[in-house]
Structures are given as structure tokens and as C-alpha cells.
Amino acid sequence: MATKVHLAQRPEADELLGRSPLAALVGMLLDQQIPMEWAFSGPYTIAQRLGADDLDAHEIAACDPERFAALLSEKPAVHRYPGSMAKRVQQLCRYLVENYDGDAERVWKGVDSGKELFKRLNALPGFGKQKAQIFLALLGKQYGVRPDGWREAAGAYGDEGSHRSVADITGPESLAKVRAFKQEQKAAAKAAK
């Protein structure tokens, strides 16, 4: 069953994110140094350029790196740094093929604890501690993936009622709140220097 999300703020891109675990992971991977909606629209753009309705980890992993980088670089580019992000997306897909038979959902399906889920997410190429915690919070808050201790494993991103990250975006109003929170954090960090 598909999940209704509003991460890309584009119905067709959000529909893909709601039904494709790989698209959600790729969107999270792309979510750095660009606006969140742009990052989470990326999986839909990649699928369209591959001539598919969904992303396939086996296909992406096996794609010629130059061809895949060119695909992400077409205008409008999928990311500000399409070449390096193409490499990261392929690394993620290769990891999923080698460890989960290409099935992204197996990263979290049947996991018993938030701690174990965090460990699995943190092991993904391109996912560090913060990205793993944010994605864990996203899975718990919007995709119904809630193993014991998931909120604790997600850290502050798992807090109920917070507006810290993409995990808390359910529409334009919450997107504005998350943006405001991020701006406050940047201002506080700048003031601390």
C-alpha cells in the first residue's frame, strides 16, 4: 500500500516517493546542499529519464557511470552537483543489490528495534548519523515503520510535534516551519562563531 507524502511538493514525484522505497532512499541521499523539494523530486526525474515508472536498484547499479552522470546532468539537473551525486546514487544502489538483493524496503522490513534500523541506515553509502536519524524519523512518522525504540534512535528528529527536518513535512505549512527552523539553526551557528 502506498503512503501519501508531500516531500517534493509535486504530486507525481510525491506519488513515486509514497510507493517506492528506493525512491524515498534516493531522495534522502540527494537531500543536501539543495532545497528539499528539489532533492525529493530527483527520483521521479531519474525514473522519467530512464523511461521507467519506478527506480530499479539493479538497473541503476549496472548503468554505465558516464551515461548515468549525463542523465542526472541534463537540464534541469537533478542536483547542484549531478556528477558526484550520480556516483553516490550508483554506490547506494550497488550496496542495496549486494546486501538486500536490490530491494530497498528490506533495509527496514522486519527490523525489531530502532537501534538496529539506525545501524542499517547508517551503513548505507552516503548516509551518516544525521541523515540516518532523519530518514529513520521519516519512516516512523510518515511511512508507519515503527520498530521498538524508533523515536529514541532517531534522536531529536523523532520528537513528536517537531518541525526539524523532511520527516516533519506534510504540506506547504509544515515545509515553511521546517525552513524557519533550519534558518534559526544556521543563524545560531553563525552567531556562535
Side-chain angles (χ1 to χ4, degrees):
M1 190 172 110
T3 300
K4 187 126 177 91
V5 295
H6 302 279
L7 306 175
Q9 304 286 304
R10 288 177 52 206
E12 64 283 1
D14 283 327
E15 188 276 329
L16 176 61
L17 293 167
R19 68 176 162 82
S20 170
L22 179 57
L25 271 179
V26 169
M28 189 72 226
L29 179 69
L30 295 171
D31 187 19
Q32 56 188 29
Q33 300 180 332
I34 60 172
M36 289 176 274
E37 314 91 296
W38 184 8
F40 283 92
S41 293
Y44 178 78
T45 304
I46 294 168
Q48 292 291 293
R49 291 179 184 174
L50 287 170
D53 292 330
D54 198 352
L55 298 181
D56 181 297
H58 293 277
E59 179 185 1
I60 293 171
C63 195
D64 173 70
E66 285 183 26
R67 177 180 173 260
F68 194 67
L71 194 102
L72 269 67
S73 299
E74 284 176 29
K75 301 287 184 223
V78 169
H79 194 276
R80 178 182 294 163
Y81 305 107
S84 62
M85 292 314 286
K87 286 179 189 160
R88 286 187 176 189
V89 170
Q90 283 195 293
Q91 287 171 340
L92 174 64
C93 288
R94 283 187 203 105
Y95 183 88
L96 292 171
V97 167
E98 291 166 11
N99 295 278
Y100 297 100
D101 196 29
D103 183 355
E105 189 176 24
R106 285 182 51 197
V107 174
W108 54 86
K109 197 169 188 170
V111 173
D112 294 329
S113 72
K115 198 174 187 176
E116 176 61 26
L117 180 51
F118 170 76
K119 188 175 159 187
R120 288 183 180 196
L121 292 169
N122 197 42
L124 296 173
F127 279 63
K129 179 184 177 188
Q130 184 180 32
K131 196 173 284 280
Q133 286 183 317
I134 292 170
F135 195 75
L136 198 159
L138 177 63
L139 287 172
K141 290 179 175 183
Q142 296 195 43
Y143 288 85
V145 177
R146 300 181 179 121
D148 287 343
W150 73 270
R151 284 192 189 274
E152 294 78 9
Y157 300 105
D159 292 350
E160 199 165 343
S162 68
H163 289 93
R164 300 180 163 274
S165 73
V166 69
D168 304 306
I169 297 173
T170 56
E173 187 180 309
S174 55
L175 173 62
K177 289 179 181 179
V178 169
R179 280 228 164 84
F181 174 81
K182 288 180 177 272
Q183 287 170 343
E184 287 170 21
Q185 295 298 299
K186 283 182 183 175
K190 196 174 184 180
K193 284 185 179 177

